[in-house]
Every structure is written in C-alpha cells, then in structure tokens.
Amino acid sequence: MHHSLPRCYSITLLAAVRLGGRTIGRCCLCSSSPTNPKTKDTSTPRVIARPVDITSVSDRSLDGHIVLRQPPPVGKADDVEWTPEYVEWKKLPFLYLKLSKYKLSALVVLTALSGAVMAPVPCDVSLILWASLGTGLCSASANTFNQWMEVPFDSQMNRTKNRVFVRGLLSPTHGFTFGVIAGLLGTSVLLTQVNVLTAAIGATNILLYTLVYTPLKRITIVNTWIGAVVGSLPPIMGWAACTGSIGSGSLLLAAILYAWQFPHFNSLSWNLRGDYSRAGYQMMAVTNPGLCRRVALRYCLATIPICMLAPWCGLTSWWFAFDSFFVNAFLCYRGWQFYRDPNFQTSRRLFYFTLFHLPLLMAFLFLNKSNPDTEHSDNERTLP
C-alpha cells in the first residue's frame, strides 16, 4: 500500500540496513541505497538502530508520521509460556540482608543495646542477646514491608533504584513472606524469651513504620516526625527488656535519639530533593526548604538541654553533661552553617558529623553511667 509521505525532515521512520556487520538507520526517502558507514554524511540523519521489519508498519499515519506497531511473536500464541525465575539458595542470605536494610537494622540493634546497658540493673547477657535478636528481626520485617510497598517509587530514585524488589531479584510474594516470617519470629522471641512489654513495643514499631510512616511519606511532611518516633523506640525496648518497665532514663535515651534524627535526615534529604520530588514524596526539603533548615537547627540546639537532664534523671554522672556539651555545641555549629547557607557542602558536613555525633554520645553515656547501689543488691542476695 502506498502512502503520501511528508518531507524528509519530518519523517520518523528509519529503515534499518545491515552493512559490514553494522546496523545503520537511514531516512527511507533520502536514498535508495545506503552510503558507506565509514563516510561522514551530514546531509541526512544517521543512527544506530535495530533492523525494522517494514511489514510491521501500520497502514495508518497520524499527523504525517508513520506509526510502527510491534511485530507479532514468532510462532503461535499458544506456544508462549511463562518461564519461572529461580534464585540460587546461596544468594538468598544476601538478598534477605538487603531487604532488611542490614546497616539500618544494625543501628537499631545498637541503640536498643544502649538502653539495656544503661538500665539500672545487672546485665543478663543471655537476655540481652535474645532482645537483640528479636529487635533485629522486627526491624528486618518493617524494612522489608517498607520496600515491598514502595517499589513503584523506589524505581524513580537513584538512591533506591537498585533495591531487591526494583531489580526483580526476588518476587514480591517471596519478599512479603520473608517480612511476615521475620516479624512473627521477632515478636515471638521477644514474647517468649524477654517479656510482654518488649514484644508489644516491637510489634507496635512494625505497625507504626509500615502502616503509618510509609503511607504518610506521600501525603504530608508529618511523616518525618512519625519516623523519628519509630527510630526513638529501640532504646526503650532495650531498657524494658532488662527492667520490665519504662523508666525516665529510657525516655531520656529516646529523646536523645529523637532529636538526633532531624539534623541527620534533613541534611541527608537536602541533596536528594530531586529524587524525592520525582518519586512524589512529601519531604520538608522538597515542599518547604526553609522549614527543613529551621527544624534541623532547632533539634541540634535541643540536644544540649536534653543531655543536661541525664544527671537529673540519675542516668549518668555530671561529667556526661560536661562531655556532651562540646559535642552538641559542634553539632549546633554545623546546623547553623546549614541554616545560614544551605548548599551541598554544608548539608554534607552536617550529615557526616551526625554519623560521629551519636556514637560519641553513646560512648559518653556508657563511660559516665551512674553506679547502681551494689551494696543494697548484695544485701538482698544474702537474705534467706
């Protein structure tokens, strides 16, 4: 069938011709035979293209452009079958670690350990190990569900485009099953080997992260505050594992971690605004940059009075207030730099310092922990 074709420069169809093992696309109206591929020709466009079957050209044109349709598959439609993809068993542990966000889960376990170590009771190593295992499994479950729910959005971000579900390394059903099993195992370990309170906090954290924080990321910037609550609960879990209760010391540890997360995340998200915007996430750095800077500085300043309360709660000696002041003051300095002149360098400096800030505070907490009343404990042991 013949068509009335527009002029050369408006033609979108490129006929593919193979020459000397190379595939060269030429405009179909410029020449009846292609020129030498090694000869530079600026009179007509030339692209590397796959061979096109002219029989696949549609018999209709829209706005003067020839439309191609996908050629039918070779063979009968009944012969086309789905081919299952198999994952090697030896790769599964690594993929499960990726689903768990093992670095983030390790941080969660470490902060839970800080609550256990700072609790005013003698350390029970076996109890702490069970609590760490259960907390890690709960974190793995929440992180897996988070990735399972955000596949369409993770694929649009450079930071998350290589995640397990996005790359199709595991099926959604497989990954979801892993998340369910990890969550059930984690809460069961905490319930049977630790106590009911710790298990309840762990289950609450999974639900809060999965059903509240993750959906809110695309609705409102309040998600950042909800995420900070989720991140501040592990020290309470560690404290509750050892004491069976929630004391003022555990709340203070949670407050430190809560305040730390804002300069940490706000400085990180500042240089990822393009990613978050493409994926449609409602982050302060995207929707309200001024608030992002103010909140980061505000919580940098908040770390100073929060740490000053540690001696008042009987958690540490007064040396902790002295030691932590200089670390928190430098954090405020970095926060002020980011607030005054927000750019790539100031945000990265603040972000990188937060990575040192939290471990330093934890170390000062351990070094300056208040000594329990060992004499009273010894008297209790001698009673018949």
Side-chain angles (χ1 to χ4, degrees):
M1 180 180 296
H2 297 282
H3 299 273
S4 58
L5 299 175
R7 287 179 297 175
C8 173
Y9 63 82
S10 65
I11 299 283
T12 58
L13 174 64
L14 295 176
V17 182
R18 286 198 173 272
L19 283 176
R22 298 181 60 189
T23 302
I24 302 175
R26 291 292 308 276
C27 177
C28 60
L29 294 184
C30 294
S31 174
S32 59
S33 62
T35 59
N36 190 334
K38 297 182 180 180
T39 305
K40 185 176 181 181
D41 183 8
T42 58
S43 60
T44 57
R46 179 178 298 171
V47 295
I48 304 299
R50 295 177 61 187
V52 178
D53 185 3
I54 302 301
T55 61
S56 66
V57 178
S58 174
D59 56 355
R60 295 183 180 181
S61 60
L62 301 175
D63 299 331
H65 291 81
I66 297 178
V67 182
L68 296 180
R69 62 169 178 263
Q70 184 70 22
V74 180
K76 297 180 180 180
D78 296 338
D79 297 335
V80 179
E81 297 180 355
W82 289 102
T83 302
E85 294 184 1
Y86 299 98
V87 180
E88 296 181 18
W89 285 100
K90 63 181 181 180
K91 293 182 179 180
L92 281 178
F94 175 73
L95 295 178
Y96 291 155
L97 286 175
K98 296 284 285 185
L99 283 181
S100 305
K101 299 182 183 177
Y102 60 92
K103 293 181 181 179
L104 178 58
S105 294
L107 177 62
V108 169
V109 172
L110 288 175
T111 54
L113 284 174
S114 69
V117 172
M118 295 302 297
V121 294
C123 289
D124 185 338
V125 177
S126 62
L127 184 67
I128 291 177
L129 291 177
W130 282 117
S132 300
L133 176 62
T135 302
L137 288 171
C138 289
S139 177
S141 174
N143 289 326
T144 300
F145 290 141
N146 172 264
Q147 294 180 70
W148 181 79
M149 297 171 67
E150 294 184 340
V151 174
F153 318 117
D154 285 347
S155 62
Q156 303 176 56
M157 299 176 60
N158 292 328
R159 177 170 172 259
T160 56
K161 65 182 180 182
N162 289 321
R163 285 181 173 174
V164 173
F165 290 135
V166 177
R167 295 181 58 191
L169 301 178
L170 286 178
S171 68
T173 303
H174 189 154
F176 184 83
T177 303
F178 168 74
V180 172
I181 293 175
L184 292 176
L185 282 177
T187 52
S188 298
V189 166
L190 294 176
L191 181 62
T192 59
Q193 303 298 325
V194 185
N195 55 51
V196 176
L197 179 59
T198 308
I201 299 174
T204 301
N205 227 12
I206 294 176
L207 297 176
L208 194 61
Y209 190 78
T210 304
L211 301 181
V212 181
Y213 167 70
T214 298
L216 283 181
K217 288 170 67 177
R218 298 182 55 80
I219 299 174
T220 173
I221 60 174
V222 176
N223 73 83
T224 306
W225 280 267
I226 300 298
V229 171
V230 173
S232 65
L233 290 180
I236 300 179
M237 294 178 64
W239 185 286
C242 293
T243 64
S245 62
I246 300 176
S248 59
S250 67
L251 296 178
L252 182 68
L253 293 173
I256 293 174
L257 200 56
Y258 179 84
W260 172 84
Q261 290 177 82
F262 288 94
H264 174 75
F265 178 74
N266 285 18
S267 58
L268 171 66
S269 63
W270 187 263
N271 293 325
L272 298 173
R273 287 173 292 171
D275 268 1
Y276 285 124
S277 179
R278 277 194 303 273
Y281 288 125
Q282 300 296 310
M283 299 298 175
M284 281 184 281
V286 176
T287 61
N288 196 334
L291 180 63
C292 177
R293 293 152 46 204
R294 292 194 299 272
V295 168
L297 178 60
R298 187 181 305 159
Y299 282 96
C300 286
L301 295 170
T303 58
I304 295 178
I306 291 174
C307 290
M308 292 291 182
L309 291 174
W312 289 99
C313 295
L315 189 65
T316 66
S317 66
W318 283 100
W319 280 108
F320 174 74
F322 177 78
D323 294 335
S324 64
F325 174 79
F326 298 99
V327 178
N328 292 330
F330 192 75
L331 179 70
C332 294
Y333 170 69
R334 288 301 191 199
W336 169 251
Q337 287 182 319
F338 174 60
Y339 171 77
R340 184 184 60 183
D341 184 19
N343 55 52
F344 177 83
Q345 290 185 344
T346 55
S347 62
R348 295 303 285 179
R349 287 170 183 167
L350 176 58
F351 171 73
Y352 282 129
F353 183 69
T354 60
L355 300 179
F356 293 97
H357 176 261
L358 186 62
L360 285 173
L361 280 187
M362 294 296 107
F364 289 148
L365 282 168
F366 300 154
L367 291 173
N368 299 296
K369 177 185 176 181
S370 294
N371 293 323
D373 190 0
T374 55
E375 181 180 355
H376 177 69
S377 300
D378 292 336
N379 292 335
E380 285 185 344
R381 292 193 196 96
T382 58
L383 293 177

